Amino acid sequence: MAQKKLQRFAEIETFPNVLIYPENMPGAWASHFGNAHPLTLELACGKGDYTLGLARRYPEGNFLGVDLKGNRIWRGAKTALTEKLPNVAFLRTQIEKLTDYFAPQEVSNIWITFPDPFLRKSKARKRLTHPRFLALYQQILAPGGAIHLKTDSAELYHFTQYVIAATGCTLLEDIPNVYALNPVPELLRIQTYYEGMHLADGRTIRFLKFALPAEPINWRAFKPEPEDEAAAEGEH
Ligand SMILES: C[S@@+](CC[C@H](N)C(=O)[O-])C[C@H]1O[C@@H](n2cnc3c(N)ncnc32)[C@H](O)[C@@H]1O
């Protein structure tokens, strides 16, 4: 492993704003932040650009970036420490394990920023807006909370539109081309590392905001869109 990566892994162990596979966290986030402000998660946060951007704009909220990769989390955590942002933290874990870390209704909002689209149907269950994940989010999200997805992937955007309808979610915002808006809404102006690369490649940035249904999502009964099946059959 590269020396720099090893150094960053060692350093995040010492950062007060990074929790690595922590224990006993459900119900303890208010005590971690020292206040009971609403908690927003950024899933697949990478370097935590939305976590930082939202935290700077909303000192009255707490913001937690979640990602598996310690060296990426290091970047966001280091910036938060340098800027002395008390309302930022990072959680290193698998998103699949979210319910190990939060009590029911402990989370107020979820942002999912440029997640891997997992285009193959055989990997569809890994998409962070698959009903399997929505059922997890239901277990931690407070009533009135919303999911915000920002993506460059037309496939993930259409898949998520389909999932929203198929699972009884409520679509709150649907923006097929964020930067065609004039003005671009304040919160959507925050740009992530991956977003910068996609914009440089001329890709269209899309946004969906939706609320989860009150009834538990039975994700095992989820039937993929017929076109998704057809596309998968054409895969090699
Ligand atoms: C394409 S990057 C996007 C990073 C960042 N949001 C951005 O826009 O720059 C996707 C991120 O998701 C993380 N990731 C993918 N699957 C994950 C999982 N199951 N649990 C936690 N993190 C995951 C990866 O480590 C990676 O940092």
Side-chain angles (χ1 to χ4, degrees):
M1 199 183 292
Q3 190 63 26
K4 193 165 143 192
K5 225 175 183 181
L6 284 175
Q7 199 181 329
R8 289 182 172 190
F9 278 136
E11 265 190 57
I12 59 166
E13 302 258 1
T14 69
F15 284 179
N17 60 354
V18 178
L19 294 99
I20 303 174
Y21 303 104
E23 292 183 348
N24 305 318
M25 286 314 290
W29 290 98
S31 126
H32 174 82
F33 284 104
N35 60 61
H37 294 169
L39 177 62
T40 294
L41 305 187
E42 182 190 5
L43 303 181
C45 71
K47 300 179 183 199
D49 300 294
Y50 255 85
T51 302
L52 295 166
L54 293 170
R56 291 180 189 117
R57 284 165 177 79
Y58 297 108
E60 72 288 4
N62 294 325
F63 298 89
L64 182 70
V66 183
D67 203 289
L68 203 51
K69 296 201 172 146
N71 59 322
R72 290 191 180 165
I73 280 180
W74 179 91
R75 179 63 273 164
K78 181 85 178 165
T79 302
L81 291 175
T82 306
E83 292 185 22
K84 299 189 169 50
L85 291 170
N87 57 339
V88 168
F90 289 89
L91 170 63
R92 182 170 177 221
T93 192
Q94 285 99 343
I95 293 161
E96 287 82 349
K97 295 192 173 157
L98 272 188
T99 51
D100 290 355
Y101 299 100
F102 304 95
Q105 307 191 7
E106 196 170 13
V107 172
S108 293
N109 274 294
I110 293 178
W111 283 75
I112 308 173
T113 53
F114 299 89
D116 302 302
F118 293 108
L119 297 179
R120 285 182 173 273
K121 188 202 154 212
S122 59
K123 303 265 191 231
R125 278 165 47 113
K126 289 177 174 261
R127 297 174 193 157
L128 293 183
T129 53
H130 188 281
R132 182 170 77 107
F133 281 99
L134 300 192
L136 277 186
Y137 308 153
Q138 273 189 319
Q139 294 178 56
I140 60 172
L141 198 59
I147 315 282
H148 309 69
L149 171 72
K150 208 177 181 194
T151 182
D152 64 300
S153 166
E155 293 86 351
L156 184 66
Y157 168 75
H158 292 305
F159 172 79
T160 305
Q161 285 176 319
Y162 175 79
V163 169
I164 290 169
T167 56
C169 291
T170 306
L171 182 62
L172 301 172
E173 280 183 57
D174 182 341
I175 306 177
N177 185 352
V178 167
Y179 295 101
L181 295 180
N182 187 10
V184 175
E186 163 72 11
L187 287 190
L188 296 185
R189 278 185 227 157
I190 299 170
Q191 285 186 4
T192 75
Y193 176 70
Y194 271 81
E195 182 172 2
M197 294 197 292
H198 296 315
L199 286 170
D201 284 345
R203 294 181 67 85
T204 299
I205 307 300
R206 301 153 205 272
F207 177 71
L208 289 167
K209 177 177 174 182
F210 57 98
L212 298 172
E215 289 300 308
I217 292 172
N218 177 9
W219 68 267
R220 287 174 201 281
F222 173 69
K223 299 255 182 306
E225 197 172 11
E227 280 165 30
D228 202 8
E229 302 262 24
E233 279 162 23
E235 282 178 1
H236 299 289

